[in-house]
Amino acid sequence: MLTQTELRTVPVNHSHANAVARAAPIRGGIGAIETMGSQMKFGANAEIFGEGEPAEYVYKVVTGAVRTYKILGDGRRQIGGFYLPGDIFGLEIGKEHQFSAEAIKGVTVLVVRRSAIVALAERDCEVARELWSFTGRELKRVQEHMLLLVKSAQQRVASFLLEMSKRLTGTDAIELPMSRQDIADYLGLTIETVSRTMTQLVSEQAIGLPSSRHIVLRNTGVLRRLNG
Amino acid sequence: MLTQTELRTVPVNHSHANAVARAAPIRGGIGAIETMGSQMKFGANAEIFGEGEPAEYVYKVVTGAVRTYKILGDGRRQIGGFYLPGDIFGLEIGKEHQFSAEAIKGVTVLVVRRSAIVALAERDCEVARELWSFTGRELKRVQEHMLLLVKSAQQRVASFLLEMSKRLTGTDAIELPMSRQDIADYLGLTIETVSRTMTQLVSEQAIGLPSSRHIVLRNTGVLRRLNG
DNA sequence: CGGCGGCTTGATCGGTCTCAAGTACGGTGG
DNA sequence: CCACCGTACTTGAGACCGATCAAGCCGCCG
C-alpha cells in the first residue's frame, strides 16, 4: 500500500510554470510535440497529474520514466503503465485524466496543450488519424496488460522482463528504473512474490541479478516459453 | 478449456455472402453504420472473425450478444469483452483483428467495410474524431476490465453483475445471455468459483437466482461496496 | 424414459498473500 | 574512514483463497 515516500521534489500546479524551453510551433499533431512543446522536469515521485484532473496537457517522455496508476477501493495501487523515453502519455479522449501520473525518477518531458492538438485535428484529418492511431496502440498495450493479469506469477514476471528488455535497450542487459513495489503493483502481485520469483528465475538460470535493479536475461527461451 | 460445442450454425467466409439487407449509403462514419451497412445473422457459437484475420469489417450488434476472446498459451480462453445490442466491435487500427469474435447466441449485426469508414475519415475530420472517440471508449472499458482482474472473486462477480444490469436493462432483473464458462473466462476465474460466488451472494441476500441465467439484484449497496 | 450439457456442490491441493525477520546498500554525520 | 541509519530488497513460516478433481443435480430434448 503505497510504501513509497511522498516527497515531491518539484512543486506542481496546473499552470505548469516550470516550463524551461519553448520552440516555435510549426505544424503536425501528436507527432510534432517536439516542435510545439515546452520542456519540463519533475523530480523523483513528483506528481505530474492526478486522476480526475482536467486533461489539459499531453506529455512525451524525453528522459527518465513515468508510472500511471489508480488507487483501488481497498487502498492497493494498480499501475496502469510505465512510460519510457519516446513514449507519449496523458492523452485522453474525455476532459479528465483516468489515471494519476508520477515521475518514477527524475524525468524530463515535453508538454503540449491538448486543446492545441485537438484544434489541429479538427482541420487536419491526418492529425486526427494520428490521435486515433495513438489511442489504438494504447488500447493494444492495455489489452496485453490485461492478459498478463490472468497468468501465473512466473509468467507475469517473465513477460515483464521481456517487455522491459525490448523497450529499454533491446538487449539482454537491463537497468530497471522502477522499484519492486512498482513492478508488483503493475503485475498485480505483492512485492514478496516478485522478489521470490526473481530469485527463482536466477536459480533456473533464466536471468542474472548482479544487483536488484540490474538484470541480465540469460535464457530468453525459457522466459518466452513461460510467456505462453 | 473451450468446453463449448464448436457448432457453427452459419458457414462463414470473409466475403460475407449472407448479407440480408442493404441500405443506401448517405453519409457519416461509425455513427452511420445504420445507413450504410448490411445486416447479417450468426447462429449460436458461430465465429464472426478470428484473431489475426484481416479486419475487413466493422460490426454493430442489433440483437443478441457477442464475445471476443483470445486463447492463451496454456489453452485457457480469456474473454476480452461482451458486446450487446447497440455496441460496436471489430474496429481495429491495424490491419488485423486482435481478438476472435463469436456469437454467444443467435445474433443480428450490421456490417460496414472498414475501408469505407477509413476513407470517409480521410476527408471528414468529424468522422475521424468519431473513430478516435470510439477507440477511446474501448480503451476505457479495457482499463476497467483490467482493474477487475486484480480484485477478489466476490468483487469480480459483483462488478460483473452490476455492469450487466446497467448494460442489459438498467433494471435490477437481468437475463444473462452468456454461460457460466463465459463469465468465468471474462473474470479470470473458474466456472466453479463463479458458481460458488453466486450462491454465496444469494445466501448474503445480495442477489436472487430464480434460474441460473436469471438474476435479480436485491441489494446493490452490498454489491457496490464489494466493488471498492 | 434416457441421455446430455450446463450448473452446483464437496473435498483436497497448491500458489500467492500475509506477517515477520533478516540482509544489502547508499547516505549522513562524527 | 567508519559508525549509524533508513530504505529497498530478500527470505522464511503459516494462513487463505481459488483451482482442481470428482460427484451429483437440474432442465431440456429426443
Side-chain angles (χ1 to χ4, degrees):
Chain A
M1 279 154 204
L2 269 186
T3 349
Q4 71 193 9
T5 53
E6 268 294 333
L7 67 92
R8 298 183 182 169
T9 52
V10 175
V12 181
N13 58 34
H14 283 82
S15 63
H16 276 169
N18 51 338
V20 296
R22 168 162 281 280
I26 303 189
R27 68 129 273 141
I30 202 174
I33 282 190
E34 280 79 357
T35 58
M36 47 192 296
S38 306
Q39 205 171 98
M40 291 179 60
K41 288 178 187 297
F42 294 88
N45 299 312
E47 176 173 311
I48 299 173
F49 55 75
E51 177 185 346
E53 289 179 4
E56 210 177 335
Y57 297 94
V58 178
Y59 305 80
K60 178 168 183 172
V61 181
V62 179
T63 62
V66 171
R67 60 179 169 252
T68 58
Y69 67 94
K70 266 191 174 172
I71 302 299
L72 306 181
D74 56 5
R76 276 150 62 216
R77 180 185 66 163
Q78 177 63 40
I79 289 189
F82 294 117
Y83 297 87
L84 305 176
D87 293 342
I88 288 167
F89 67 99
L91 175 58
E92 308 282 346
I93 312 296
K95 297 242 175 283
E96 294 177 1
H97 286 297
Q98 298 296 317
F99 284 73
S100 303
E102 288 176 350
I104 291 177
K105 52 179 185 178
V107 67
T108 310
V109 291
L110 284 162
V111 180
V112 192
R113 298 193 81 87
R114 194 192 109 98
S115 56
I117 295 178
V118 170
L120 258 181
E122 274 172 24
R123 293 181 287 106
D124 185 343
C125 285
E126 183 50 40
V127 172
R129 208 206 124 73
E130 272 187 77
L131 290 179
W132 181 39
S133 180
F134 165 77
T135 300
R137 282 193 304 275
E138 190 73 355
L139 173 59
K140 195 169 167 184
R141 189 187 65 71
V142 176
Q143 281 171 339
E144 269 155 31
H145 190 181
M146 181 193 83
L147 293 175
L148 251 196
L149 297 182
V150 298
K151 300 187 188 172
S152 73
Q154 268 217 347
Q155 290 176 314
R156 295 188 216 189
V157 172
S159 300
F160 172 76
L161 293 177
L162 287 170
E163 182 199 342
M164 281 302 137
S165 153
K166 192 162 72 176
R167 291 176 58 195
L168 280 169
T169 60
T171 70
D172 289 349
I174 55 187
E175 172 105 22
L176 295 176
M178 70 288 286
S179 70
R180 291 285 187 275
Q181 186 67 59
D182 287 337
I183 299 172
D185 291 349
Y186 179 73
L187 297 179
L189 299 170
T190 60
I191 185 177
E192 294 96 330
T193 298
V194 171
S195 189
R196 268 186 259 271
T197 306
M198 294 264 200
T199 55
Q200 197 180 343
L201 290 174
V202 170
S203 67
E204 289 168 7
Q205 317 274 333
I207 65 172
L209 200 56
S211 80
S212 69
R213 302 237 181 159
H214 185 193
I215 293 173
V216 183
L217 307 189
R218 294 212 181 289
N219 190 336
T220 53
V222 167
L223 295 175
R224 242 172 275 281
R225 214 163 312 127
L226 278 173
N227 213 330
Chain B
M1 282 142 231
L2 269 186
T3 350
Q4 70 193 9
T5 52
E6 268 295 333
L7 67 90
R8 299 184 181 168
T9 52
V10 175
V12 181
N13 57 34
H14 283 83
S15 63
H16 275 170
N18 52 336
V20 296
R22 169 162 280 282
I26 302 191
R27 67 129 276 144
I30 202 174
I33 283 190
E34 280 81 354
T35 59
M36 47 192 296
S38 306
Q39 205 171 99
M40 292 178 58
K41 287 177 187 297
F42 293 89
N45 299 312
E47 175 172 312
I48 299 172
F49 54 76
E51 178 186 347
E53 289 179 4
E56 212 177 335
Y57 297 93
V58 177
Y59 304 80
K60 179 169 183 170
V61 180
V62 179
T63 63
V66 171
R67 61 179 168 251
T68 57
Y69 67 93
K70 267 192 173 169
I71 303 299
L72 306 181
D74 56 5
R76 276 151 62 217
R77 180 184 67 163
Q78 177 62 41
I79 289 187
F82 294 118
Y83 296 87
L84 305 176
D87 294 341
I88 288 167
F89 68 98
L91 174 58
E92 307 282 346
I93 313 295
K95 299 242 174 285
E96 294 178 1
H97 287 297
Q98 297 296 317
F99 284 73
S100 303
E102 288 176 350
I104 292 176
K105 53 180 185 178
V107 68
T108 310
V109 291
L110 284 161
V111 181
V112 192
R113 298 192 80 87
R114 194 192 107 98
S115 56
I117 296 177
V118 171
L120 258 181
E122 274 171 25
R123 293 181 287 104
D124 185 342
C125 286
E126 183 50 39
V127 172
R129 207 206 126 72
E130 271 188 78
L131 289 179
W132 181 40
S133 180
F134 166 77
T135 300
R137 282 194 304 276
E138 190 72 356
L139 173 60
K140 196 169 168 185
R141 189 188 64 73
V142 176
Q143 281 170 340
E144 269 156 29
H145 190 181
M146 181 193 84
L147 293 175
L148 251 197
L149 297 182
V150 299
K151 299 187 188 172
S152 73
Q154 267 215 350
Q155 289 176 315
R156 296 188 214 188
V157 172
S159 299
F160 172 76
L161 293 176
L162 287 170
E163 183 200 341
M164 282 302 138
S165 153
K166 192 162 73 176
R167 292 176 57 194
L168 281 167
T169 60
T171 70
D172 289 349
I174 56 188
E175 171 105 23
L176 296 177
M178 70 288 286
S179 70
R180 291 286 187 273
Q181 187 66 60
D182 287 337
I183 299 172
D185 291 349
Y186 179 72
L187 298 179
L189 299 169
T190 60
I191 186 176
E192 293 96 330
T193 298
V194 171
S195 189
R196 267 187 259 272
T197 305
M198 293 265 202
T199 55
Q200 196 180 343
L201 289 174
V202 170
S203 67
E204 288 168 7
Q205 316 275 332
I207 65 173
L209 199 57
S211 80
S212 69
R213 304 243 180 152
H214 186 190
I215 293 173
V216 183
L217 307 190
R218 294 212 180 287
N219 190 338
T220 53
V222 167
L223 295 175
R224 242 172 274 281
R225 214 163 312 127
L226 280 173
N227 214 331

